[in-house]
Amino acid sequence: MPQEYTNGSSSYADYLQWNKDLRCEAFDGMIVNMTPSPTPGHQKIQVELSVEIGSYLREKDCEILTAPLDVCLFATPETPNEEIKNWIQPDLMIVCDPKKIEEKRIIGAPDLVIEILSPATARTDRLTKYNKYEEAGVKEYWIVDPHHETVEVFVLQDQSFERVDVFTKNDVVKVSLFPDFEVQLNKIFP
């Protein structure tokens, strides 16, 4: 599990003053260090998903973005940095509202978030992030498990995530945001 520190009072304004090499996220002002760095297997899956989704989104209104990029889930452009207590760096995200994409961060919930599990992040991705993404109104959330070669898909229904299914390496995942788009998982898992 990632090392947690601070007393839960940290703000995004504090974070912006820290060492720029520090990668961390915050949940209700509690800082979670994001070390160690992702493994090559994690990176390969992230790249393959980026290529598949990015190719589909070319010349569309939505954008795919990858970590490290801060997402201030519950903020608006008017929210002072001192009041932002939750920021996350999803592995991948799709944002369809260009007003949410600022020069150095995303403001508000992405439309789709993908987290790729590692032993150090699995608990956070499955519990803390799941709950924060649901609360923020992320429309679709994927949890990718490289070890078991599965993708668990959740879709927001009436302000709560409902699990669509768990897909395996030989399955095809339909992306609920785009009825004409699906991802063949045998292209994703190395």
Side-chain angles (χ1 to χ4, degrees):
M1 185 165 155
Q3 177 186 353
E4 294 185 358
Y5 55 105
T6 76
N7 60 6
S9 64
S10 295
S11 72
Y12 195 67
D14 298 326
Y15 166 68
L16 293 174
Q17 302 302 313
W18 298 340
N19 178 345
K20 299 297 180 200
D21 294 332
L22 175 67
R23 284 193 60 214
C24 64
E25 298 175 309
F27 305 100
D28 301 322
M30 178 66 71
I31 302 300
V32 178
N33 188 359
M34 295 181 65
T35 55
S37 297
T39 63
H42 179 287
Q43 293 291 67
K44 287 177 186 178
I45 291 169
Q46 185 171 347
V47 167
E48 290 300 329
L49 281 166
S50 296
V51 168
E52 289 295 311
I53 296 169
S55 295
Y56 172 80
L57 292 178
R58 193 169 286 130
E59 299 181 19
K60 291 189 175 46
D61 293 335
C62 300
E63 290 189 48
I64 185 160
L65 303 159
T66 64
L69 179 62
D70 295 332
V71 176
C72 300
L73 276 178
F74 302 102
T76 67
E78 295 78 31
T79 306
N81 288 338
E82 295 78 18
E83 293 179 16
I84 297 173
K85 299 290 186 177
N86 292 278
W87 61 91
I88 299 175
Q89 295 185 0
D91 290 315
L92 290 157
M93 70 197 99
I94 295 174
V95 179
C96 296
D97 181 351
K99 293 182 211 141
K100 291 184 177 183
I101 303 172
E102 294 190 344
E103 183 179 343
K104 295 185 177 185
R105 64 186 178 180
I106 304 300
I107 294 291
D111 294 274
L112 184 146
V113 171
I114 300 172
E115 294 287 2
I116 302 166
L117 298 180
S118 70
T121 66
R123 179 174 160 65
T124 300
D125 292 342
R126 289 193 174 282
L127 295 173
T128 309
K129 287 186 176 183
Y130 175 98
N131 290 326
K132 290 297 180 188
Y133 293 147
E134 181 180 62
E135 183 183 347
V138 170
K139 295 174 186 169
E140 188 166 348
Y141 180 39
W142 293 17
I143 298 175
V144 178
D145 184 338
H147 179 72
H148 295 102
E149 297 182 329
T150 61
V151 175
E152 207 168 343
V153 176
F154 300 89
V155 174
L156 197 66
Q157 299 287 334
D158 299 321
Q159 300 176 331
S160 296
F161 278 140
E162 289 188 20
R163 189 168 85 174
V164 172
D165 208 343
V166 177
F167 299 90
T168 62
K169 182 176 183 170
N170 296 317
D171 290 332
V172 174
V173 179
K174 290 189 178 287
V175 181
S176 69
L177 292 175
F178 313 107
D180 63 336
F181 179 51
E182 55 190 27
V183 176
Q184 295 179 348
L185 295 184
N186 62 3
K187 293 182 179 179
I188 303 306
F189 293 109

